Amino acid sequence: MTTTSRTGDESAAPVRRSTAPALLRTAAELDALPRPAGAERAVVMTMGALHDGHAALIRAAREAAGAAGQVVVTVFVNPLQFGEAADLDRYPRTLDADLEIAAAAGADAVFAPGADEVYPGGEPQVRITAGPMGERLEGAARPGHFDGMLTVVAKLLHLTRPDEAFYGQKDAQQLALIRRMVRDLNFGVRITGVPTVRDPDGLALSSRNRFLSPEERHTALALPRALFAARDRLAAQQALHERARATAPESGDRAAGLNRLGEARAAADAQAVALARPNGAPAAVRAAARTVLEEAAARDRLPLALDYLALVDPADFTEIPDDRESGEAILAVAARVGNTRLIDNIPLTFGALT
């Protein structure tokens, strides 16, 4: 469901429980699980095939719940989220390994129901609708995906009854929709996002990465490189504007002010700033990322088929206009490498230095 995240304290030793987490298969068993007295229950929802990203989520939940609290991990491959039966059948199932990872990260219980347990009457006739935000980006590429995701999240929130639920920032649109559902429908639970976990080469962790051949993985690295290039372009442009603004004298003669400081390079930078559109940061961000993707598509032997590259408002996933001067944004990308579709994103802040 969501799961590729890291808390940033990767050097910390994993929390190991004294006993293996309880494996619960039915709603009745989950309901019978004693709640911690005077402490909180935290939940991490996954579709299994756990990796270090899931472990980071579980560790974050463990830290939030505390030693006296309770961490429940759900493992359920939700059929409502898959548009094609082949994709559902292809999704990896590794419950034994999942239990080991959950235990090492600090889970107290793993709820791993079958489809008949979650949907006892077959596919539900009443579902949560994601609305307009659910029709953009991933929703446009995978019609109905977010309706199925929100429906199972709502069911699992009711079944597990957590005080706090943890989701990965890698699935940024999913996280935004869950937050919106909880707010709009008055769910009594806190939703916490955890930053994306990446391998040393920069690729965001995903259960689908195992399907990439070595050559395909090399091509896939264009996704994080594009995001990092955009982030660096934004930081450089904002630093340039700030430097020019800070060194401008009250008269407004920026070049004279810089020359008085003896900064020839800064004077050249300031001239570039003066010539650039003052509100062109969104366009520069998009251009920097697209250049990396286009270069990879032209250079690598294995093609990278771009689905979308979008700079969006995290509140509703609408496109950020080119005249945006400040505020939060998410740069999101999706592409297919071989037979594997990958997504990634990075949060950005415009006007952070001004």
Side-chain angles (χ1 to χ4, degrees), residues 164-230:
E164 188 169 8
F166 292 76
Y167 302 89
Q169 179 63 38
K170 175 178 173 288
D171 295 293
Q173 192 173 2
Q174 172 179 280
L175 175 59
L177 281 163
I178 292 171
R179 283 177 165 151
R180 187 60 184 254
M181 177 185 73
V182 166
R183 181 171 66 252
D184 286 356
L185 302 183
N186 298 101
F187 281 68
V189 59
R190 300 190 304 277
I191 302 299
T192 298
V194 183
T196 300
V197 179
R198 300 183 182 276
D199 275 329
D201 61 8
L203 192 65
L205 295 189
S206 169
S207 300
R208 299 180 185 273
N209 288 355
R210 68 187 66 199
F211 299 129
L212 296 171
S213 70
E215 285 184 312
E216 289 171 339
R217 184 181 179 94
H218 181 270
T219 298
L221 292 177
L223 272 65
R225 286 203 309 268
L227 298 179
F228 299 155

Side-chain angles (χ1 to χ4, degrees), residues 25 61 79 89 92 122 133 140 144 152 210 225 252 277 295 303 341 348:
R25 291 289 199 171
D89 294 340
M133 186 177 9
V152 79
R210 68 187 66 199
R225 286 203 309 268
R277 288 194 305 147
E295 289 176 350
R341 187 174 183 275
L348 299 172

Side-chain angles (χ1 to χ4, degrees), residues 7-260:
T7 58
D9 60 344
E10 300 147 349
S11 60
V15 178
R16 294 187 178 274
R17 311 303 291 164
S18 58
T19 59
L23 177 59
L24 313 173
R25 291 289 199 171
T26 68
E29 291 174 345
L30 178 62
D31 192 55
L33 180 69
R35 294 186 67 90
E40 293 196 339
R41 173 182 285 178
V43 165
V44 174
M45 296 183 186
T46 83
M47 290 206 300
L50 303 190
H51 47 62
D52 286 347
H54 300 93
L57 284 171
I58 299 168
R59 289 194 297 268
R62 178 80 269 161
E63 182 177 359
Q70 187 178 74
V71 175
V72 177
V73 176
T74 69
V75 175
F76 178 62
V77 183
N78 179 30
L80 301 188
Q81 292 177 231
F82 291 83
E84 298 180 6
D87 290 337
L88 175 62
D89 294 340
R90 188 172 180 240
Y91 197 88
R93 277 84 164 170
T94 58
L95 183 58
D96 290 342
D98 294 346
L99 291 171
E100 293 181 4
I101 292 173
D108 296 294
V110 173
F111 179 48
D116 291 343
E117 184 67 24
V118 177
Y119 305 120
E123 290 193 1
Q125 296 185 34
V126 177
R127 308 187 186 194
I128 301 292
T129 300
M133 186 177 9
E135 298 173 357
R136 299 171 186 137
L137 300 188
E138 283 301 291
R142 305 165 68 186
H145 167 74
F146 286 125
D147 291 356
M149 179 276 295
L150 290 178
T151 297
V152 79
V153 167
K155 291 203 69 165
L156 291 173
L157 287 175
H158 287 313
L159 288 167
T160 58
R161 293 175 289 122
D163 299 286
E164 188 169 8
F166 292 76
Y167 302 89
Q169 179 63 38
K170 175 178 173 288
D171 295 293
Q173 192 173 2
Q174 172 179 280
L175 175 59
L177 281 163
I178 292 171
R179 283 177 165 151
R180 187 60 184 254
M181 177 185 73
V182 166
R183 181 171 66 252
D184 286 356
L185 302 183
N186 298 101
F187 281 68
V189 59
R190 300 190 304 277
I191 302 299
T192 298
V194 183
T196 300
V197 179
R198 300 183 182 276
D199 275 329
D201 61 8
L203 192 65
L205 295 189
S206 169
S207 300
R208 299 180 185 273
N209 288 355
R210 68 187 66 199
F211 299 129
L212 296 171
S213 70
E215 285 184 312
E216 289 171 339
R217 184 181 179 94
H218 181 270
T219 298
L221 292 177
L223 272 65
R225 286 203 309 268
L227 298 179
F228 299 155
R231 177 196 61 193
D232 294 344
R233 173 70 64 85
L234 177 62
Q237 185 163 339
Q238 292 187 156
L240 193 62
H241 279 282
E242 177 65 13
R243 188 178 188 185
R245 185 190 65 79
T247 54
E250 293 182 1
S251 65
D253 187 353
R254 178 176 292 123
L258 293 171
N259 287 333
R260 281 198 296 270

Side-chain angles (χ1 to χ4, degrees), residues 276-292:
R277 288 194 305 147
N279 53 9
V285 162
R286 292 185 178 96
R290 190 169 293 279
T291 295
V292 173

